[in-house]
Amino acid sequence: MLVSDKKQELSKRIEIIDRYYKVDALLDEKTDKDAVAKYYRKSDFFYNLIHSRGGGNIHMGLSNDGAFHKDDFLEQARFINSFINDKTEKVLEVGAGKVANSKYLAMRHSSIFFTALDLPHRSFKKNKVPANITLCEGDFNDLSDFEEESFDIVFGVETICHSEDKKRTITEISRVLKPGGKLIIFDVYEPKPRNEMTDFEKRVSSFTLASMRVTDAGQYIGDMKKILAESGFSQIEVTDLTKQIKPSLLRLERLSEYYFNHPALLRFLKATIPCDATMNSIAGWLMPLTFDGKNIHQYNRIVCVRCT
Ligand SMILES: C[S@@+](CC[C@H](N)C(=O)[O-])C[C@H]1O[C@@H](n2cnc3c(N)ncnc32)[C@H](O)[C@@H]1O
């Protein structure tokens, strides 16, 4: 259970947030793929300039020394790179965003074919990519455009959290992976099943996720492991990287704190910038407290192998 000073600090922040963004209304917001597509279209500016500092990485940096460095954004791609070898022919990235991860890999492996998939929004197909990347618009819950057992590696960085039907997403991925192929996921999870979370923890988790248009359905890491095992995956390894994202979270917290502590600036930005973008400040302010690794949120890397 949350220690009381953390609970108090979260309550205090939520009370302030509620003055500007109605918590109950946000909890009722849709998180389906149309809402997700709109959210990324409207937040493009924020992610590009503020979050990734022009790097196109729409994910948390992974720090190895407790401090934030821009280079930390490449850590997920570096890890995925370690699974590419002489036998790798085809790699699929689901929820590729600005394609930063696939670009990193494709530039290092010119003879391998990469496919990057994302929802049809914010001119995904206009991303400039090396010749060995194919950009496809579509939904990771329907991979019928791809042949069965055709990819050696499928990966998704901070994207499957958006799926309201994770069983379906993982079944689709399993279908297109070759037997023996690898699935690599980096994502937010709830470390406890919902029936073991307090009402406060559930509410804070749902609210924080909703501010990034992430569903609160099926986020328990134990459920994900079960889905993977039922969908034909073995050697399922989960690594908790919550500590490594802390410097990224603290950086976003500083920006968000400034925003919420300057009501005149907040009102001006809220009136001039799309709500989907300014709402990122909510997650920015709460996540350093919710990512405690054991009660509300955890940042996990999952590696598993499609059974032969
Ligand atoms: C947090 S961003 C991560 C982008 C990229 N993976 C990265 O690391 O920079 C999540 C991405 O997942 C995409 N996404 C969400 N739901 C999706 C779906 N059903 N099918 C395909 N892409 C989806 C979003 O459009 C968004 O670009």
Side-chain angles (χ1 to χ4, degrees):
M1 211 185 299
L2 280 180
V3 285
S4 68
D5 56 343
K6 190 174 273 184
K7 190 172 171 187
Q8 253 176 19
E9 180 59 25
L10 273 167
S11 303
K12 191 187 94 190
R13 291 187 188 187
I14 290 172
E15 202 188 300
I16 296 172
I17 291 168
D18 194 47
R19 287 181 205 152
Y20 308 103
Y21 299 91
K22 292 294 158 219
V23 173
D24 289 326
L26 189 53
L27 283 167
D28 288 341
E29 285 276 355
K30 288 197 170 129
T31 52
D32 60 18
K33 69 177 160 86
D34 292 337
V36 170
K38 177 173 164 270
Y39 164 77
Y40 282 104
R41 195 170 59 243
K42 300 280 183 187
S43 299
D44 222 17
F45 169 84
F46 158 80
Y47 275 115
N48 232 353
L49 270 164
I50 298 173
H51 180 91
S52 80
R53 293 191 187 161
N57 300 282
I58 315 179
H59 58 251
M60 295 295 165
L62 291 173
S63 167
N64 292 315
D65 65 1
F68 172 78
H69 313 278
K70 195 173 172 194
D71 185 66
D72 297 342
F73 286 126
L74 301 178
E75 200 58 31
Q76 286 89 340
R78 281 190 205 110
F79 180 80
I80 295 157
N81 192 39
S82 69
F83 288 83
I84 295 181
N85 58 36
D86 299 352
K87 296 195 183 103
T88 311
E89 291 170 338
K90 287 174 75 182
V91 177
L92 170 65
E93 176 174 12
V94 290
K98 292 280 184 193
V99 208
N101 301 307
S102 285
K103 275 193 211 171
Y104 176 94
L105 298 168
M107 286 187 306
R108 283 159 181 78
H109 304 280
S110 55
S111 60
I112 295 177
F113 294 101
F114 290 84
T115 303
L117 174 95
D118 207 302
L119 293 169
H121 59 87
R122 56 163 152 69
S123 318
F124 178 65
K125 287 211 164 174
K126 287 191 185 152
N127 277 304
K128 292 210 170 12
V129 293
N132 56 331
I133 298 184
T134 305
L135 298 176
C136 294
E137 286 181 337
D139 178 356
F140 53 44
N141 282 325
D142 176 9
L143 300 178
S144 53
D145 282 350
F146 304 111
E147 268 178 50
E148 273 183 32
E149 304 189 352
S150 54
F151 292 99
D152 302 280
I153 296 173
V154 176
F155 72 91
V157 180
E158 297 177 29
T159 184
I160 292 172
C161 56
H162 283 294
S163 171
E164 293 185 327
D165 185 351
K166 293 186 178 53
K167 173 83 184 155
R168 180 162 169 197
T169 313
I170 297 300
T171 305
E172 279 296 273
I173 291 175
S174 175
R175 193 181 59 74
V176 301
L177 256 179
K178 289 180 188 170
K182 305 265 187 336
L183 168 60
I184 304 165
I185 298 171
F186 289 84
D187 233 328
V188 52
Y189 287 96
E190 288 173 349
K192 297 192 290 196
R194 283 238 147 190
N195 61 12
E196 287 176 21
M197 290 169 85
T198 63
D199 287 345
F200 180 79
E201 288 165 353
K202 279 188 266 195
R203 186 172 158 80
V204 173
S205 175
S206 299
F207 175 52
T208 309
L209 296 174
S211 71
M212 299 176 289
R213 294 292 183 269
V214 172
T215 175
D216 60 9
Q219 300 295 12
Y220 169 46
I221 184 63
D223 287 341
M224 182 47 120
K225 278 159 76 175
K226 196 161 162 249
I227 289 173
L228 289 165
E230 286 169 359
S231 311
F233 287 96
S234 64
Q235 300 172 51
I236 302 161
E237 279 178 30
V238 177
T239 308
D240 180 2
L241 300 176
T242 308
K243 276 205 185 96
Q244 280 90 326
I245 65 163
K246 280 281 169 185
S248 275
L249 294 179
L250 294 177
R251 176 179 161 253
L252 298 175
E253 181 185 43
R254 282 191 289 278
L255 294 168
S256 307
E257 193 145 77
Y258 188 85
Y259 178 72
F260 281 108
N261 284 333
H262 291 79
L265 172 77
L266 186 155
R267 285 200 189 90
F268 171 73
L269 292 176
K270 200 165 172 280
T272 49
I273 294 175
C275 203
D276 280 280
T278 64
M279 264 180 358
N280 282 296
S281 57
I282 300 175
W285 210 22
L286 299 180
M287 285 192 302
L289 297 168
T290 68
F291 273 85
D292 59 3
K294 55 182 192 298
N295 291 302
I296 305 183
H297 294 141
Q298 199 171 60
Y299 189 85
N300 285 325
R301 181 182 73 208
I302 305 177
V303 179
C304 53
V305 179
R306 159 90 143 74
C307 297
T308 45

